[in-house]
Amino acid sequence: MPTLRIALAQVNPTVGDLTGNSGIVRSTARAAVDAGARLVVFPEMMLTGYPVEDLVFRQSFLAASRAAIERLAADLDAGGLGDTPVAVGYLDADGPPAVNAATDPSAGPRNALAVLHRGRVAARYFKHHLPNYGVFDENRYFVPGDTLVVVRIDGIDVGLTICEDMWQTGGPFVAARRAGVGLVLTVNGSPFELHKDDTRLALVRRRAAEAGATVAYLNMVGGQDELVFDGDSVIVTAAGEVLARSPQMAEHLMIHDLDLPLGLLPPPPSEPPAPRPATGEMGGDEMGIRRVHISDPHPALPGVPVHGGHAARLSDEAEVWQALVLGLRDYVRKNGFDKVAFGLSGGIDSSVVAAIAVDALGPADVIGVSMPSRNSSAHSREDAAEMAKRTGLELRVHEIQPMVDSFLATMSLSGLALENLQARVRGVILMSISNQEGPLVLTTGNKSELSVGYSTLYGDSVGGFNPLKDVPKTLVWKLARWRNDEALRTGEEPPIPENSISKPPSAELRPGQLDTDSLPDYDELDAILLSYVDGDKGRADLVAAGHDPELVDRVVRLVDLAEYKRRQSAPGTKISIKAFGRDRRLPITNRWRETGPPGV
Amino acid sequence: MPTLRIALAQVNPTVGDLTGNSGIVRSTARAAVDAGARLVVFPEMMLTGYPVEDLVFRQSFLAASRAAIERLAADLDAGGLGDTPVAVGYLDADGPPAVNAATDPSAGPRNALAVLHRGRVAARYFKHHLPNYGVFDENRYFVPGDTLVVVRIDGIDVGLTICEDMWQTGGPFVAARRAGVGLVLTVNGSPFELHKDDTRLALVRRRAAEAGATVAYLNMVGGQDELVFDGDSVIVTAAGEVLARSPQMAEHLMIHDLDLPLGLLPPPPSEPPAPRPATGEMGGDEMGIRRVHISDPHPALPGVPVHGGHAARLSDEAEVWQALVLGLRDYVRKNGFDKVAFGLSGGIDSSVVAAIAVDALGPADVIGVSMPSRNSSAHSREDAAEMAKRTGLELRVHEIQPMVDSFLATMSLSGLALENLQARVRGVILMSISNQEGPLVLTTGNKSELSVGYSTLYGDSVGGFNPLKDVPKTLVWKLARWRNDEALRTGEEPPIPENSISKPPSAELRPGQLDTDSLPDYDELDAILLSYVDGDKGRADLVAAGHDPELVDRVVRLVDLAEYKRRQSAPGTKISIKAFGRDRRLPITNRWRETGPPGV
């Protein structure tokens, strides 16, 4: 069988940066061709970044993407790379882009994959299955394609597919079997979730078997707002063998020699696409097939075969930690910030944020602000100082009592209003530092306390990004211990003071306050939250699973009431099925309660 | 021809309040039957409220809706109303609800309309066309129905449709003509936008002609988060004659005698639905028709014919004002608040918010807080006091300089950081009042300044709701003059001080500051924003339309950079095509600029 040396470019594009993303394609394609690659592949929507959301509706953006793909083809050719086909995801359209694809399906935007060759777009495929659940809204944005595109490269037939095409039954993989391809490319912008890597690999295997062909699965890497694309690209044979696998959470150029059958000779004529139904999508079995000839069989490659390797797999904690580091780093850098600042209380949450920030940006770009009040314990100040000493981050101290007292001189506040005042004064201090000096403010509330509304709106929720937004409290502790163990393993000083991990958590907004005054034990709380929030289970399911009914009622009521606060909080890296960002949409005004009618 | 006395219940349900909404149906149906109605109709998703968003994915909610519709049928019957068919929108499903309708289209949730009769659900129709643009996400939530349901009531054939079914070509209205119905009901949760009423009426006329039948169009009324449903229900004949029209922005029970042809006798057997395609929707012409017999022809109604009337139409300003009043009142009441509080600076924005709040809630539930600094002019204090005197709202005064100074004693702040500090101290004062006493805080920034980021995050943007979020500055002035003229017309004192309307706008955050220091003239700014934000036009379109290129670049750059701040701001009533809420989704991290690559 002939050999195809394929390059899977697991790279990190930025949304909207057509120029920068084109540059990544050019330099990476150059490196791949220098290594002898005969086909170079880039992720879904490589040119525009992903997801571009409502930018799709701006005609000037769509036009810019279409112009940029043509320019990229020309530039690759001018740079001497024109003979190597390069597959690049981008935003395209049939005819002039429609303002609203929902009302004019014939002319709407397309999630497209181009094969660039000899200075032009030699083939283009439009994504067929459009995901419209969780974080995805693609029925809003794109018109589905109805034709599988098969390109013949070095005499080998290669089917093109994009992301969701693999997650739904029917469609392109069925058509690929019918077309008798030797290889299916699937390019992705597939966001990280804990344990999703296992699901994905099983699915790649299943589709490879269905198509009767090797599948080359390429995923993007990097952070984009709340999403982290985790890479983890893989090549799997029709028999399910993993030939090579790229690392998680890191950029990587995988180059691998694939032995693949030659396509039938001569290439059969294109089958016409089936007629388009009046509205909506069509089933996969009716997909047409379009064949494009790129290049004839190629002489055998010289030298020893190149193997793409098997990157080591990360443990669950390592995977989450690296996702949080990558998500924060890219949010900061891609938004044009250099530094971050946040309240460093010496508690577990802000300490873990500090460690993540130092890993993401280096200690010189991390400002921890200790803002003690008269309710702050001595160990809070000490633990914050110890954290700074261990990591080298910049520590500042602002006592908040004078500002708190200045409000109390004109307003009579008590209870929750007084507790919140302290958190809000801290928010004002952090935003003043941000406005005066430029760092991005991080907020540090974990998913458990955000879920039940245990935070102060415009207080500790102040900030542009929250690394722990999707991390339950019990996982915060696990991550802290894992990070410290990792440091010991590599001979470094553990970054997080032991006392920050072991002391009972407290908001320190009134004397002697503990989280357990207001909240259940975090083990119990997180177990209920996992079912109720991530799993969409109802009260009855939770009770049936063995949780105490009164506790369930209490937690569920808190969660239902906390929705508004969560909406107002900063974006944060998503690591679970249901974070509190774009993939969760609930009405604010809503009187339905799991636990019965709301009280007056 | 026989007469059908129809009742269109233009009512105001609350999302999630199954018990309360059932109560509205029972009491309104009672009133309609007492007035002799033979068919009573309620809006789309009446039982659950609309839109319910991700509540759809909670199985317990779906089960609660299905149980509630059965209970409602039984309760109506037990209350002696069982003989009158009552059409009620609700959430249903085929079989057990799927967690994710996208992956299991056969069992997913349905946007449904039930006809209740003699204690049971006698017929149910599933919405066919699902809107998935603007504020709508129904492809995410619902599986489309594929069968038109025709109910025979008093011998008259009535076709059932829901909202978007009318906005798309093909589908139920085509099937209704084929079925030979005498009447099409279309129940709606159709959100208000300026001038949408005219579009809607034209569409009802067109569909009535297509169906060859009278159309009874019923819309919901009331505020739900950012949406306002404006009522404006209407009955139109196949020839396009408007028989009766309900008021805008108010609850109303329209009762009208319709002369309609009897259905064919005997009723033809049901046509089976066409086979469902593998995925997605089907075209309208293939819709099946299901016929349900409810009741035989009825003796002629005694007495004079009842006419539904023609409600007076509102002017553009009146329409917007009433939408803002209704949106605020329902947001406050439906979320369980009694009072509102906001910063009352004496400027035009906070004065208009004050007038809206007083109209919505009455002066006793409105707290205006004057928070002067050393940069506040004397007239600011006076205008705020004058506003309070004219309307009777409660005025409080908190000087902010001592708090500002307490921060400056420990931090060295200048420029924007110093300006923002003042706005943030005001935010802390308002939230302290809210936490101590319970009012909802309103934020008062207009759409023009929010569009260009002319506001302080966690400062003047603090608050749970913003009545002016979708109101451009030039319209704020128009509304102020309109409201004062309206007062003169009805012999009341104009609520807004003339000086608040006529003085040049200023943020008063530094000595002598004017909006025009930072922003273009509002007439020019709003014209550009209308094209760029609402119209999704590009830079080239704006320049071609005659705007100064440098000004276009400046505004477009400000808008592109302000997206993050807008995301963090409170919900507010939507009155235009593109507000800044759920119907606009842009990545935060985005380096694409209309005006070229971003600077470093």
Side-chain angles (χ1 to χ4, degrees):
Chain A
M1 280 199 284
T3 298
L4 180 68
R5 183 166 294 171
I6 189 172
L8 299 183
Q10 182 173 298
V11 294
N12 187 347
T14 298
V15 164
D17 191 2
L18 300 168
T19 307
N21 297 337
S22 295
I24 295 173
V25 172
R26 288 198 309 272
S27 60
T28 311
R30 160 85 53 205
V33 170
D34 287 350
R38 304 280 307 161
L39 167 62
V40 191
V41 189
F42 291 88
E44 180 178 15
M45 296 288 268
M46 171 70 212
L47 199 59
T48 54
Y50 181 83
V52 294
E53 305 186 46
D54 276 14
L55 282 176
V56 161
F57 299 132
R58 214 167 262 290
Q59 298 204 13
S60 44
F61 181 69
L62 209 159
S65 173
R66 298 172 85 178
I69 196 79
E70 301 285 347
R71 197 179 320 120
L72 178 58
D75 287 350
L76 287 169
D77 194 48
L81 304 174
D83 282 344
T84 308
V86 177
V88 181
Y90 71 114
L91 173 65
D92 202 341
D94 263 2
V99 170
N100 180 356
T103 57
D104 184 5
S106 66
R110 307 285 190 154
N111 184 327
L113 179 64
V115 177
L116 310 182
H117 188 238
R118 296 199 175 146
R120 59 184 201 89
V121 177
R124 55 180 197 165
Y125 168 75
F126 297 150
K127 189 176 187 176
H128 173 67
H129 286 301
L130 300 176
N132 206 66
Y133 52 84
V135 300
F136 303 108
D137 284 310
E138 294 203 359
N139 279 334
R140 177 183 173 93
Y141 299 124
F142 302 115
V143 177
D146 55 12
T147 305
L148 177 71
V149 173
V150 176
V151 288
R152 180 164 292 177
I153 296 171
D154 290 358
I156 297 158
D157 285 337
V158 180
L160 307 180
T161 69
I162 303 176
C163 204
E164 188 75 5
D165 288 337
M166 182 185 85
W167 290 83
Q168 304 295 329
T169 48
F173 283 82
V174 173
R177 170 178 283 272
R178 192 152 43 85
V181 304
L183 174 69
V184 180
L185 294 186
T186 172
V187 302
N188 294 263
S190 178
F192 169 70
E193 278 164 24
L194 193 53
H195 307 308
K196 192 176 177 185
D197 49 345
D198 304 326
T199 315
R200 250 192 228 138
L201 178 59
L203 202 58
V204 175
R205 285 193 161 116
R206 187 168 136 203
R207 297 297 174 224
E210 279 176 17
T214 297
V215 172
Y217 174 99
L218 169 65
N219 195 15
M220 188 177 280
V221 74
Q224 168 59 32
D225 292 356
E226 302 197 315
L227 305 181
V228 169
F229 302 102
D230 54 335
D232 196 20
S233 304
V234 66
I235 302 178
V236 173
T237 66
E241 187 193 353
V242 175
L243 296 181
R245 197 165 184 182
S246 294
Q248 299 162 276
M249 310 291 170
E251 289 194 280
H252 182 71
L253 179 62
M254 180 207 284
I255 297 179
H256 189 86
D257 285 350
L258 283 172
D259 295 328
L260 295 169
L262 281 181
L264 303 172
L265 282 172
S270 292
E271 294 178 24
R276 183 195 301 281
T279 59
E281 298 176 42
M282 62 193 316
D285 298 336
E286 307 104 64
M287 282 189 88
I289 296 169
R290 183 181 306 124
R291 293 176 185 272
V292 178
H293 186 83
I294 302 275
S295 53
D296 293 325
H298 188 261
L301 294 166
V304 293
V306 174
H307 195 286
H310 291 271
R313 309 293 306 156
L314 299 176
S315 70
D316 284 356
E317 284 87 356
E319 196 175 282
V320 170
W321 188 271
Q322 293 200 15
L324 299 178
V325 167
L326 181 57
L328 175 61
R329 182 192 298 132
D330 276 357
Y331 194 86
V332 171
R333 296 274 159 83
K334 289 181 178 180
N335 282 303
F337 289 89
D338 298 317
K339 296 191 170 209
V340 296
F342 50 90
L344 185 63
S345 71
I348 183 69
D349 296 330
S350 62
S351 300
V352 168
V353 166
I356 292 168
V358 168
D359 283 358
L361 307 171
D365 286 331
V366 177
I367 303 169
V369 187
S370 169
M371 295 175 283
S373 74
R374 71 164 64 105
N375 296 317
S376 300
S377 56
H379 63 72
S380 290
R381 302 161 193 247
E382 289 155 16
D383 294 341
E386 174 67 17
M387 179 91 211
K389 190 174 78 64
R390 290 179 179 214
T391 59
L393 64 79
E394 179 189 344
L395 181 69
R396 298 188 193 179
V397 181
H398 287 282
E399 303 277 346
I400 65 167
Q401 207 59 51
M403 293 81 126
V404 170
D405 289 341
S406 75
F407 284 92
L408 295 178
T410 168
M411 312 186 76
S412 176
L413 301 179
S414 58
L416 209 59
L418 181 57
E419 293 181 30
N420 285 338
L421 173 61
Q422 299 164 68
R424 292 195 178 109
V425 163
R426 292 185 175 121
V428 173
I429 291 171
L430 290 171
M431 288 308 296
S432 294
I433 292 172
S434 176
N435 287 164
Q436 189 71 32
E437 305 172 40
L440 176 73
V441 173
L442 303 183
T443 172
T444 64
N446 62 71
K447 185 177 186 173
S448 309
E449 65 184 32
L450 290 175
S451 301
V452 293
Y454 196 65
S455 73
T456 299
L457 193 55
Y458 316 121
D460 52 323
S461 68
V462 156
F465 194 79
N466 180 359
L468 302 185
K469 186 170 191 175
D470 197 24
V471 183
K473 185 81 172 190
T474 49
L475 182 55
V476 175
W477 276 306
K478 261 188 222 155
L479 290 175
R481 294 193 193 285
W482 173 86
R483 183 63 187 83
N484 275 3
D485 288 349
E486 192 68 7
L488 290 173
R489 206 176 56 76
T490 59
E492 295 165 11
E493 185 176 29
I496 302 166
E498 183 55 32
N499 194 42
S500 296
I501 303 177
S502 58
K503 68 187 174 187
S506 165
E508 298 197 332
L509 293 172
R510 60 172 188 264
Q513 184 178 29
L514 290 178
D515 287 13
T516 45
D517 301 343
S518 311
L519 299 178
D521 176 83
Y522 279 112
D523 282 330
E524 278 187 282
L525 178 62
D526 283 355
I528 294 174
L529 292 175
L530 189 70
S531 287
Y532 185 64
V533 176
D534 287 24
D536 270 330
K537 298 293 184 204
R539 179 185 183 281
D541 305 312
L542 292 164
V543 172
H547 294 292
D548 173 52
E550 274 181 54
L551 184 63
V552 167
D553 283 357
R554 190 172 146 219
V555 172
V556 159
R557 207 172 298 125
L558 288 170
V559 171
D560 287 350
L561 290 172
E563 189 59 34
Y564 177 73
K565 265 195 204 172
R566 277 203 298 278
R567 279 226 185 172
Q568 295 262 339
S569 66
T573 299
K574 173 176 162 59
I575 64 166
S576 71
I577 302 171
K578 294 260 170 83
F580 298 124
R582 303 183 322 146
D583 56 342
R584 204 170 154 77
R585 304 175 191 168
L586 288 169
I588 299 170
T589 304
N590 160 34
R591 297 184 74 78
W592 185 72
R593 302 280 182 268
E594 278 286 338
T595 49
V600 279
Chain B
M1 281 199 283
T3 298
L4 180 68
R5 182 166 295 170
I6 190 173
L8 299 184
Q10 181 174 298
V11 293
N12 187 347
T14 298
V15 163
D17 191 2
L18 300 169
T19 307
N21 297 338
S22 295
I24 294 173
V25 173
R26 289 197 309 273
S27 60
T28 312
R30 160 84 54 206
V33 171
D34 288 350
R38 303 281 306 163
L39 167 62
V40 190
V41 189
F42 290 88
E44 180 178 18
M45 296 288 268
M46 171 71 211
L47 198 59
T48 53
Y50 182 82
V52 294
E53 305 186 46
D54 276 14
L55 282 176
V56 160
F57 299 131
R58 214 168 262 292
Q59 300 204 13
S60 45
F61 182 68
L62 211 159
S65 173
R66 298 172 86 180
I69 197 80
E70 301 285 347
R71 196 178 322 118
L72 178 59
D75 288 349
L76 287 169
D77 193 50
L81 304 174
D83 282 345
T84 309
V86 177
V88 181
Y90 71 113
L91 172 65
D92 203 342
D94 263 3
V99 170
N100 179 357
T103 57
D104 184 5
S106 66
R110 306 285 190 154
N111 183 327
L113 179 64
V115 177
L116 309 182
H117 188 239
R118 296 199 176 146
R120 61 186 200 88
V121 176
R124 56 180 198 165
Y125 168 76
F126 297 149
K127 189 176 186 175
H128 174 67
H129 286 302
L130 301 176
N132 207 66
Y133 52 85
V135 300
F136 303 109
D137 284 310
E138 294 204 358
N139 278 336
R140 177 182 173 93
Y141 298 123
F142 302 116
V143 177
D146 55 11
T147 305
L148 177 71
V149 173
V150 176
V151 288
R152 179 163 292 178
I153 296 171
D154 291 359
I156 297 158
D157 284 339
V158 180
L160 307 180
T161 69
I162 302 177
C163 203
E164 189 75 5
D165 288 338
M166 182 185 86
W167 290 83
Q168 303 295 330
T169 49
F173 283 83
V174 173
R177 170 178 284 269
R178 191 152 45 85
V181 304
L183 175 68
V184 180
L185 293 185
T186 173
V187 301
N188 293 263
S190 178
F192 169 70
E193 278 164 24
L194 193 52
H195 308 307
K196 191 176 178 185
D197 48 345
D198 303 325
T199 314
R200 250 192 228 137
L201 178 59
L203 201 59
V204 175
R205 285 195 163 115
R206 187 168 137 204
R207 297 296 174 225
E210 279 176 17
T214 297
V215 171
Y217 174 99
L218 169 65
N219 194 15
M220 188 177 280
V221 74
Q224 169 59 30
D225 292 356
E226 302 197 316
L227 306 180
V228 169
F229 302 101
D230 55 334
D232 196 20
S233 304
V234 66
I235 302 177
V236 173
T237 67
E241 186 192 354
V242 174
L243 296 180
R245 198 165 184 182
S246 295
Q248 298 161 277
M249 311 291 170
E251 289 193 281
H252 182 70
L253 178 62
M254 180 207 284
I255 297 179
H256 189 87
D257 285 350
L258 282 172
D259 295 329
L260 296 168
L262 280 182
L264 302 173
L265 283 172
S270 292
E271 294 176 26
R276 183 195 301 281
T279 59
E281 300 176 41
M282 62 193 315
D285 298 335
E286 307 105 65
M287 282 189 86
I289 296 169
R290 183 180 306 124
R291 294 176 183 272
V292 178
H293 185 85
I294 302 275
S295 54
D296 292 324
H298 187 261
L301 294 166
V304 292
V306 173
H307 195 287
H310 290 273
R313 309 293 306 155
L314 300 176
S315 70
D316 283 356
E317 284 87 355
E319 197 174 282
V320 170
W321 188 271
Q322 292 200 16
L324 299 177
V325 167
L326 181 57
L328 175 61
R329 182 192 298 132
D330 276 357
Y331 194 86
V332 171
R333 296 275 158 82
K334 290 180 177 180
N335 281 303
F337 289 90
D338 298 318
K339 296 190 171 210
V340 295
F342 50 91
L344 184 63
S345 71
I348 183 68
D349 295 330
S350 62
S351 300
V352 168
V353 166
I356 291 168
V358 168
D359 283 359
L361 306 171
D365 287 331
V366 177
I367 304 169
V369 188
S370 169
M371 294 175 283
S373 74
R374 71 163 66 105
N375 295 317
S376 299
S377 55
H379 63 72
S380 290
R381 302 161 194 248
E382 290 155 15
D383 294 341
E386 174 68 17
M387 179 91 211
K389 191 173 77 64
R390 290 180 180 212
T391 58
L393 65 79
E394 179 188 344
L395 181 70
R396 299 189 192 178
V397 181
H398 288 281
E399 303 276 346
I400 65 166
Q401 208 58 50
M403 293 81 127
V404 170
D405 289 340
S406 75
F407 284 91
L408 296 178
T410 169
M411 311 186 77
S412 177
L413 302 178
S414 58
L416 209 58
L418 181 56
E419 293 182 29
N420 285 338
L421 173 61
Q422 298 163 68
R424 292 196 178 109
V425 163
R426 292 185 176 122
V428 173
I429 292 172
L430 290 172
M431 287 308 295
S432 294
I433 293 173
S434 176
N435 286 164
Q436 189 71 33
E437 305 172 39
L440 176 73
V441 174
L442 303 183
T443 172
T444 64
N446 62 70
K447 184 177 186 175
S448 309
E449 65 184 31
L450 290 175
S451 301
V452 293
Y454 195 65
S455 73
T456 299
L457 194 55
Y458 316 121
D460 53 322
S461 68
V462 155
F465 194 80
N466 180 0
L468 302 185
K469 185 169 192 177
D470 197 24
V471 183
K473 186 82 172 189
T474 48
L475 183 55
V476 175
W477 276 307
K478 262 190 220 153
L479 290 174
R481 294 194 193 284
W482 174 86
R483 182 61 187 84
N484 275 2
D485 289 349
E486 193 67 10
L488 290 173
R489 207 177 55 76
T490 58
E492 295 165 9
E493 185 176 28
I496 302 167
E498 183 55 31
N499 194 42
S500 296
I501 303 178
S502 58
K503 67 186 173 189
S506 165
E508 297 198 333
L509 293 173
R510 61 172 186 263
Q513 184 179 30
L514 290 177
D515 286 13
T516 46
D517 301 344
S518 310
L519 299 177
D521 176 83
Y522 279 112
D523 282 328
E524 277 188 282
L525 178 62
D526 283 356
I528 294 175
L529 292 175
L530 188 70
S531 286
Y532 185 63
V533 177
D534 288 24
D536 271 329
K537 298 292 184 205
R539 179 186 181 281
D541 305 312
L542 292 164
V543 172
H547 295 292
D548 173 53
E550 275 182 54
L551 184 63
V552 167
D553 284 356
R554 190 172 146 218
V555 172
V556 159
R557 207 172 299 125
L558 288 169
V559 171
D560 287 350
L561 290 173
E563 190 59 33
Y564 177 72
K565 264 194 203 171
R566 278 202 297 280
R567 280 225 185 172
Q568 294 264 340
S569 66
T573 299
K574 174 177 161 57
I575 64 165
S576 71
I577 303 170
K578 293 260 171 84
F580 298 125
R582 303 184 321 148
D583 55 342
R584 202 169 155 76
R585 303 175 192 169
L586 288 170
I588 299 169
T589 305
N590 161 34
R591 297 184 73 77
W592 185 72
R593 303 278 183 269
E594 279 286 339
T595 49
V600 277

